[in-house]
Amino acid sequence: QLQLVESGGGLVQPGGSLRLSCVASGFTLDYYMITWFRQAPGKEREGVSCISSSGAITNYADSVKGRFTISRDNAKNTVYLQMNSLKPEDTAIYYCAASRRPHAVNWYTSDLFGSWGQGTQVTVSS
């Protein structure tokens, strides 16, 4: 079965950093656009960052620009999200999702993604 597994979440203080990983099994990520989503209790799901299948194009929500960096290593079938200067507002469950297309302008639209991970909790608190 096609699977995505996130890891790397945890509890950090404001200003701290975390690196999330998303590992695919059952399929190769070479042909997939990947978006990191996040969702906090009582809030709508938000697209955080996207990377095209080749890695040539990246996208970021305005709220994380300059702080988060998305990257991929297709040889390892893995996508990463480096999160720096974390804020309490970043607290959420983070999900990676895969869409079998090189890229899409509406990279933050949940309906485009056929595969989802189980999520990893990120908590930013002092």
Side-chain angles (χ1 to χ4, degrees):
Q1 297 293 99
L2 278 53
Q3 291 189 55
L4 295 170
V5 178
E6 304 96 333
S7 63
L11 173 64
V12 296
Q13 294 183 250
S17 297
L18 285 173
R19 188 197 193 202
L20 306 184
S21 299
C22 173
V23 180
S25 62
F27 64 103
T28 177
L29 286 182
D30 292 8
Y31 313 109
Y32 289 79
M33 171 183 77
I34 304 296
T35 288
W36 285 94
F37 292 87
R38 67 186 181 186
Q39 188 163 30
K43 296 183 179 179
E44 57 204 4
R45 186 162 53 208
E46 174 189 21
V48 176
S49 184
C50 177
I51 189 164
S52 63
S53 59
S54 69
I57 302 171
T58 58
N59 306 96
Y60 299 93
D62 288 342
S63 58
V64 307
K65 282 181 179 176
R67 300 189 297 120
F68 290 11
T69 303
I70 192 169
S71 62
R72 67 191 298 156
D73 186 343
N74 284 350
K76 295 181 178 179
N77 234 22
T78 301
V79 174
Y80 305 96
L81 185 67
Q82 178 68 45
M83 306 186 296
N84 298 326
S85 302
L86 283 163
K87 304 175 180 179
E89 307 94 270
D90 297 317
T91 296
I93 300 175
Y94 284 70
Y95 303 88
C96 65
S99 179
R100 202 182 186 283
R101 64 210 326 131
H103 188 61
V105 174
N106 54 332
W107 55 269
Y108 47 81
T109 303
S110 296
D111 288 349
L112 296 181
F113 297 87
S115 299
W116 292 77
Q118 85 293 334
T120 184
Q121 175 70 231
V122 172
T123 303
V124 185
S125 176
S126 58

